[in-house]
Amino acid sequence: MIRNCIIIGGGVAGPATALTLSKVGIQCSIYELRDTPATIGGAINLTPNALEILHDLGVEVSGCLVESIDLFSIYRTQKLGEIPFRKPGRQARRVLRKTLQDELLKVVDAAGIKVTYGSKLVGIVKDLENNKITAKFSNGSSASAEFVIGCDGVHSAVRTTYVEPERAATYTGVASAYAFVPTSSIKSPVHFATTALNMSRSGSMLTSFHDQEKSSVYLAAVMQLPGQDSKESWKARGADKDSTLQEIHRRYRDSAFPCIPEMIDQVTEFIFYPVFALSAGGKWSRGNALLIGDAAHTMPPQGQSVGLALEDSILLSRVFDTFPKKPVQNIFRIYEDTRRPRINEAWIAATNQWENVKDTPWWAFLLKEWFTWLYLWWARDSFEKSHDYDIRKTELVLA
């Protein structure tokens, strides 16, 4: 029997999952909400284990080689510490999310996997008699297969219409805004080799090159902001470009590194978005539908969310390959039991780190500066362990 599936979401997780499942003989079709390939987000950090997965899928990205993420306080020029990627052959890369998506879609196309755009999911229906599940779209079309995989992000329609409708994403209290600045336009010395996290009392700003030539710097500020009471209010706040610029100027104008305010001054528009997350745990599957990546476990940004989604796709294909005759629901149970410990650990770490980007009194920030180097020294082994984690070798948990 040839298995087949419907994948909802054409960003990063969807194409990756289609590629991994197709490698074990499962026919996949991808359905994407938007009319053309598109993704939200700037430049992402791909950890060494994420790059290995992409290589196995036949996806190669260049980007900027990252040997460390350097941590600074914007109020002093002394480096507080680093998150290292210095082991030979184990460097990270900073790459545009859109570039990664484009490269994935090229391999998807070469593999003969169909992507249907303009397909907004509005419902999922079980067909018990034929052991099928049907996805219904707003344009009146539908598609049926043995199972559905939701790779449609934090506001997943697969989750909210079928798997666990009551589990809605919630605002973290922090928003992000990003922009790009040509390196050639920066006159002041740049204080980072490739990537720096610049901490302040009022959030933090990531500054990073994202291409091999280091021709452009990616700026990404995170800042505590009040929530809005509706989707329309968030859209209005995002459209208020002047307020976003003023907010970022206010928070980072006192930087001891002249290049930071200089780069901000050159930006005419920051792309603004509120950061949403899911609560820990939750349901990942219902019947013959399963959630993957952010649709299942969106957590505050911690630099490896794309890597976690790639791991999800590899593990799922491993379980199908290992147990080709098991019912889909049994496959999903083995997948979940194996995957949850890694995700729970990442969720706790991400949530704890996220509290550090919220507004801080002076005395608390001084303590944070002092403790940062100690924490980075203490956590060094756990960083390396996480970056070396190999989902391809993880022992499957059998109920």
Side-chain angles (χ1 to χ4, degrees):
M1 178 186 70
I2 298 177
R3 293 188 130 149
N4 57 8
C5 78
I6 296 163
I7 292 174
I8 306 298
V12 171
T17 301
L19 289 171
T20 59
L21 291 180
S22 66
K23 284 180 177 291
V24 297
I26 298 174
Q27 294 180 347
C28 302
S29 299
I30 301 172
Y31 293 84
E32 164 58 32
L33 166 70
R34 297 175 179 86
D35 293 329
T36 58
T39 185
I40 298 173
I44 56 176
N45 189 57
L46 294 174
T47 55
N49 36 9
L51 289 168
E52 287 182 351
I53 291 172
L54 290 170
H55 177 76
D56 287 352
L57 294 178
V59 178
E60 301 294 341
V61 291
S62 54
C64 180
L65 192 68
V66 176
E67 292 189 343
S68 68
I69 298 175
D70 301 327
L71 275 70
F72 296 91
S73 163
I74 70 165
Y75 308 113
R76 62 190 79 243
T77 56
Q78 183 179 2
K79 179 177 169 180
L80 301 178
E82 67 177 27
I83 299 173
F85 301 96
R86 298 187 184 280
K87 292 173 67 174
R90 304 294 295 170
Q91 287 82 21
R93 285 188 184 273
R94 178 75 57 176
V95 61
L96 294 179
R97 180 182 287 269
K98 185 64 169 63
T99 299
L100 174 59
Q101 182 192 36
D102 289 345
E103 294 304 314
L104 278 164
L105 289 173
K106 287 179 185 177
V107 181
V108 162
D109 183 62
I113 300 169
K114 184 179 180 182
V115 183
T116 302
Y117 293 96
S119 300
K120 180 182 179 181
L121 183 75
V122 294
I124 293 177
V125 179
K126 295 183 291 185
D127 182 353
L128 297 177
E129 183 177 344
N130 297 307
N131 192 31
K132 295 284 186 180
I133 190 165
T134 299
K136 294 181 177 293
F137 303 102
S138 61
N139 58 13
S141 66
S142 64
S144 297
E146 185 184 2
F147 60 96
V148 168
I149 304 294
C151 301
D152 48 344
V154 60
H155 300 295
S156 167
V158 178
R159 187 186 69 248
T160 57
T161 64
Y162 188 73
V163 173
E164 193 178 11
E166 63 274 17
R167 189 178 179 221
T170 57
Y171 177 52
T172 61
V174 174
S176 181
Y178 69 89
F180 298 92
V181 172
T183 306
S184 59
S185 68
I186 305 169
K187 307 307 179 186
S188 303
V190 173
H191 59 288
F192 50 93
T194 55
T195 302
L197 183 63
N198 307 282
M199 303 187 307
S200 80
R201 290 181 52 237
S202 305
S204 63
M205 173 175 281
L206 184 79
T207 52
S208 180
F209 298 110
H210 56 86
D211 61 346
Q212 285 182 315
E213 297 76 21
K214 298 184 178 181
S215 64
S216 174
V217 177
Y218 168 63
L219 309 179
V222 290
M223 48 202 168
Q224 184 174 353
L225 289 176
Q228 302 292 327
D229 56 9
S230 68
K231 185 177 181 179
E232 290 68 29
S233 297
W234 276 121
K235 285 184 178 179
R237 176 61 183 84
D240 189 354
K241 301 177 179 61
D242 290 340
S243 291
T244 300
L245 273 169
Q246 291 168 11
E247 193 69 42
I248 293 174
H249 273 289
R250 179 182 70 80
R251 292 169 184 264
Y252 301 101
R253 65 190 175 198
D254 296 329
S255 173
F257 298 105
C259 66
I260 291 180
E262 181 185 346
M263 287 187 288
I264 294 171
D265 285 341
Q266 296 186 49
V267 176
T268 56
E269 177 184 352
F270 277 91
I271 298 174
F272 172 94
Y273 63 95
V275 179
F276 283 78
L278 294 173
S279 58
K283 290 176 64 177
W284 290 1
S285 65
R286 176 187 170 191
N288 285 21
L290 175 73
L291 304 173
I292 286 284
D294 282 349
H297 48 70
T298 305
M299 56 193 77
Q302 83 294 25
Q304 59 176 344
S305 60
V306 169
L308 291 174
L310 294 173
E311 289 178 8
D312 288 353
S313 67
I314 289 290
L315 178 60
L316 183 61
S317 67
R318 278 188 60 203
V319 181
F320 270 110
D321 193 37
T322 305
F323 305 104
K325 296 183 179 180
K326 279 189 178 292
V328 168
Q329 294 179 32
N330 291 26
I331 295 286
F332 291 171
R333 175 51 52 198
I334 295 169
Y335 165 82
E336 285 194 47
D337 289 346
T338 304
R339 190 63 176 144
R340 282 191 184 272
R342 164 82 163 161
I343 294 301
N344 291 343
E345 183 178 309
W347 191 92
I348 292 170
T351 302
N352 290 339
Q353 292 173 22
W354 198 239
E355 290 301 313
N356 289 328
V357 306
K358 294 184 177 179
D359 294 353
T360 308
W362 267 114
W363 64 269
F365 185 77
L366 291 173
L367 285 175
K368 184 165 71 173
E369 282 186 333
W370 193 86
F371 277 109
T372 293
W373 72 266
L374 182 63
Y375 167 74
L376 292 172
W377 173 81
W378 174 80
R380 189 181 185 94
D381 288 344
S382 65
F383 288 144
E384 289 196 0
K385 181 181 177 181
S386 179
H387 300 155
D388 289 340
Y389 179 84
D390 192 344
I391 193 66
R392 298 165 297 183
K393 298 177 182 178
T394 299
E395 184 176 352
L396 299 180
V397 176
L398 306 181

